[in-house]
Amino acid sequence: MPWIKKKEWEAAIREKRVTYDIYAELPEDGQRYEVLDGALELMSGPSLVHQMLGGKLHLITQSCSSAYFILLAPLDVILSPRNVAQPDVIFIHRSRTDIMTMRGIEGAPDLVVEVLSPGSRHRDKVRKLDIYGRHGVQEYWILDPVARTLERYEQEGDRLTLIALFEGEDRVVSEKLPCISFALSELFAEEQIGRLLAGG
């Protein structure tokens, strides 16, 4: 009976033991959620700058499209039954299409990118950094629109370690993804992005 299922997932949410199956059964309410270590997390709507930077990054990295599928949120990345994330940009090597299913990405992408929002800083820089590392994500980028920096982390053992901090005119490169090479400033070259970041 539907009311029994509702009681089950309401209890799971309260007790922070949400799984992908419970998450997939939640009624559509127009909101975006992630499941982090069994806790259902409401995601705030992306800002205009957030959307513009994600789109710009997608365009700038098209040099990788022959080797990688480059995907944009919202898309479920199912790392485990209790960890379902929605990174802003996702890279999957074309030799690993077995992790691409009708449900989303089932396994660790080669690269995930998060664009920081005011409400996502701790989640992206602490919680998701730990979760992505534990589940074998090979490379993780954190793009900070306010500081205009990009942090690049790589998998070492079972954790992600900061390898490089790019700022200003630095050229963003990756040993793991040699197809990537662009000036960080290209992401912020759009006049409208600068105006919005300046509070205009």
Side-chain angles (χ1 to χ4, degrees), residues 33-98:
Y33 297 93
E34 294 181 305
V35 180
L36 304 179
D37 287 331
L40 188 69
E41 302 276 339
L42 174 65
M43 300 175 70
S44 57
S47 69
L48 182 55
V49 166
H50 188 283
Q51 288 290 84
M52 292 176 78
L53 286 172
K56 185 82 171 172
L57 184 59
H58 185 263
L59 286 173
I60 285 176
T61 56
Q62 284 306 299
S63 57
C64 291
S65 62
S66 62
Y68 292 86
F69 288 98
I70 307 169
L71 309 165
L72 295 171
L75 178 65
D76 288 338
V77 174
I78 306 162
L79 297 165
S80 72
R82 297 178 67 244
N83 284 291
V84 184
Q86 290 197 8
D88 294 307
V89 186
I90 306 157
F91 284 65
I92 307 290
H93 195 274
R94 289 180 179 269
S95 67
R96 302 182 63 231
T97 56
D98 58 304

Side-chain angles (χ1 to χ4, degrees), residues 56-65 68 70 91 111 139 141 150 152 166 168-187:
K56 185 82 171 172
L57 184 59
H58 185 263
L59 286 173
I60 285 176
T61 56
Q62 284 306 299
S63 57
C64 291
S65 62
Y68 292 86
I70 307 169
F91 284 65
L111 166 65
E139 188 158 334
W141 294 1
L150 188 151
R152 183 171 70 82
F166 302 101
E169 296 298 322
D170 290 347
R171 195 149 201 89
V172 178
V173 294
S174 166
E175 288 79 11
K176 291 182 182 288
L177 288 83
C179 55
I180 287 175
S181 180
F182 63 91
L184 180 63
S185 58
E186 287 181 57
L187 286 177

